[in-house]
Amino acid sequence: MTQFQVPKGTQDVLPADWRLRFRIFDAARRRFDAAGYGRISTPTFEHTELFHRGVGEATDIVSKETYTFDDRGGRSLTLRPEGTAGVARAFANHGLHREPLPVKLWYSASMFRYEKPQSGRLREHEQLGCELFGSSLPAADAEAMSIQAGIYRDLGLPDVVLHVNSIGSGESRERFRAALVDYLTPFASELDADSQTRLQVNPLRILDSKDPRTREIVAGAPLLPDYLTAEDTEHFDAVCRLLDAAEVAYVRDPLLVRGFDYYTSTVWEFTSSALGAQSAVGAGGRYDALVEAFGGPSTPAVGFGTGVERIVLCLAAMEETENARRFDAYVGVAPDAASGAWTKAFRIASALRERGRAVEIDLAGRSAKGQAKQASKLSVSTRIFIDDLGGRMFLKGDFEGVDLPPDVETAIAHVDAQLVAATV
């Protein structure tokens, strides 16, 4: 019989993996809650035009990487390749601009991109992100970056560096774009194939090329900050001062651009050397024209996205051990015990769980020796072994144990008191 495998670029997330992911989501949720962000969910697929108009026809995502299909009604739909466009569409659809501004939203969802699967970059991947609508202040940019930095700091990610830049307003970018094309055109034949195409449709993305020869050429290119308007420069300098005030370390990176057409002004990217060549952990930026492009009112906005798989890889690079099970107690029953022993064991385990304890109950029918070995593997502080005589409680490293009170409720209180003592 054929054994089916997952499609290329996808994965099964098993229980051991989820324990680490829950830690990531909990860290993010705490940071979002503390800053007043509410959770939003948007559809897994949207009308294809949403991404063409928002993310941009000339971007790699739209031109090469979207999962697009016609439904049975002939409508073109696309699995979301990123989170911002859908959230901005929801903001416009539901008239959220009528709520007190700024409106702060966060999400966690699967994203889909048809590209060569790499470590931490799958065709289906999980992304955390947030969007802030209704503030053009530099403080909004700084808040988003400080939240993102705080999530990484809470998780203890290694060697994280924040790169920041400003790509300016439309006026700034047009002047820079013209200067960049003038500079790169004599080198056109030496650029990598993707950059040769981008020279005509999206030249700023050439700055992000990983091709060695293209990077050599780009090293002598005009710098975007030199083409910013006074207003753009003032905004970016203010963002940097606020990051200093929040004690968020960063480096100014004049070559940093983002892959989506909707970005304006401030852009940023967090990297970690723990990830090797694919060093980006998460990124974000300001996008002041996107809501209006989706039929809403003119609304300044800023936000970020971070790949969960990338964070998992960073933690793994630290030889992270938090994905191991953590139990307070292990409850087992003698294999030949009468049903009353199971009743007592199950009552003890259930009562302890109701009190917030993490309790594993032996459901594999192990021998007394096997139960002791399993409890040792789980590093529990307390093991309870129930037999027809009422049972015994063993503390970590204790081979003798003490008799449990015959009354089950007294036994529960006795075990719980021991667990309290073990945490002091």
Side-chain angles (χ1 to χ4, degrees):
M1 182 179 293
T2 301
Q3 185 178 40
F4 290 100
Q5 303 295 321
V6 297
K8 185 176 181 179
T10 66
Q11 64 178 343
D12 296 316
V13 182
L14 303 178
D17 304 314
W18 268 111
R19 281 187 287 277
L20 185 54
R21 286 172 177 246
F22 281 139
R23 181 183 167 198
I24 295 169
F25 296 144
D26 287 345
R29 180 183 51 78
R30 286 193 298 270
R31 285 286 176 173
F32 291 137
D33 285 350
Y37 286 73
R39 181 157 186 174
I40 187 172
S41 295
T42 60
T44 303
F45 54 86
E46 301 266 7
H47 293 291
T48 299
E49 180 61 21
L50 179 83
F51 300 112
H52 283 235
R53 185 182 303 179
V55 178
E57 297 274 4
T59 62
D60 285 351
I61 288 178
V62 168
S63 64
K64 301 178 181 179
E65 299 173 4
T66 55
Y67 279 89
T68 297
F69 59 95
D70 289 343
D71 69 7
R72 295 188 179 186
R75 293 169 289 263
S76 181
L77 301 172
T78 294
L79 298 179
R80 62 180 168 228
E82 58 89 47
T84 299
V87 177
R89 189 263 317 140
F91 178 89
N93 280 175
H94 297 283
L96 297 184
H97 63 280
R98 290 189 288 269
E99 296 187 4
L101 298 176
V103 171
K104 300 179 177 183
L105 305 169
W106 75 275
Y107 60 88
S108 171
S110 291
M111 306 294 163
F112 304 85
R113 297 184 189 177
Y114 187 86
E115 56 183 334
K116 182 180 179 180
Q118 302 174 53
S119 178
R121 179 175 290 183
L122 300 177
R123 289 175 173 174
E124 179 183 8
H125 60 277
E126 186 86 6
Q127 188 177 96
L128 283 165
C130 75
E131 316 295 345
L132 184 153
F133 299 95
S135 175
S136 60
L137 296 177
D141 307 32
E143 177 176 284
M145 279 184 269
S146 64
I147 290 172
Q148 192 173 3
I151 293 170
Y152 299 150
R153 186 165 56 250
D154 292 348
L155 292 169
L157 298 196
D159 305 321
V160 173
V161 178
L162 168 60
H163 300 255
V164 297
N165 193 23
S166 175
I167 59 174
S169 61
E171 176 187 347
S172 298
R173 281 197 308 283
E174 284 306 311
R175 291 193 298 121
F176 174 69
R177 185 183 188 280
L180 183 63
V181 170
D182 286 345
Y183 169 79
L184 291 174
T185 297
F187 299 100
S189 62
E190 301 177 55
L191 300 173
D192 62 276
D194 282 344
S195 293
Q196 290 181 26
T197 301
R198 289 169 177 165
L199 184 59
Q200 304 302 320
V201 296
N202 198 357
L204 269 66
R205 287 302 315 282
I206 298 175
L207 302 177
D208 197 36
S209 173
K210 301 300 187 288
D211 177 77
R213 176 53 184 153
T214 300
R215 292 186 69 83
E216 289 178 5
I217 295 170
V218 165
L223 296 178
L224 207 161
D226 294 337
Y227 291 81
L228 296 180
T229 65
E231 184 179 2
D232 291 334
T233 299
E234 182 180 353
H235 182 98
F236 186 55
D237 288 344
V239 170
C240 292
R241 287 195 299 271
L242 292 169
L243 291 175
D244 291 335
E247 298 184 333
V248 175
Y250 62 91
V251 295
R252 292 194 181 210
D253 185 348
L255 295 181
L256 177 65
V257 293
R258 299 291 298 122
F260 305 153
D261 285 356
Y262 54 63
Y263 280 121
T264 60
S265 191
T266 312
V267 294
W268 67 86
E269 182 176 79
F270 284 86
T271 63
S272 171
S273 60
L275 291 173
Q278 295 292 335
S279 61
V281 184
R286 177 165 285 281
Y287 50 96
D288 291 343
L290 189 59
V291 173
E292 190 173 11
F294 292 160
S298 178
T299 306
V302 64
F304 71 80
T306 182
V308 172
E309 285 80 7
R310 291 296 181 90
I311 299 176
V312 169
L313 284 177
C314 281
L315 294 177
M318 304 164 53
E319 298 182 343
E320 174 63 47
T321 60
E322 288 299 323
N323 59 339
R325 286 183 184 267
R326 293 288 183 263
F327 289 104
D328 298 309
Y330 184 93
V331 180
V333 178
D336 56 353
S339 61
W342 263 106
T343 301
K344 186 173 184 178
F346 206 75
R347 172 61 188 149
I348 290 173
S350 300
L352 292 176
R353 288 170 178 170
E354 288 297 319
R355 298 183 186 201
R357 304 296 182 185
V359 179
E360 176 76 306
I361 187 167
D362 177 48
L363 300 176
R366 296 179 176 88
S367 66
K369 184 177 180 180
Q371 291 179 31
K373 182 181 291 187
Q374 182 65 11
S376 178
K377 286 182 180 179
L378 296 176
S379 298
V380 298
S381 64
T382 305
R383 178 169 68 91
I384 299 96
F385 181 72
I386 307 298
D387 54 24
D388 287 333
L389 298 177
R392 298 177 68 80
M393 179 173 71
F394 300 83
L395 305 183
K396 191 172 184 179
D398 178 8
F399 297 101
E400 297 297 328
V402 297
D403 290 336
L404 284 174
D407 175 69
V408 69
E409 299 305 319
T410 305
I412 291 167
H414 188 63
V415 174
D416 192 51
Q418 176 55 48
L419 293 176
V420 170
T423 58
V424 174

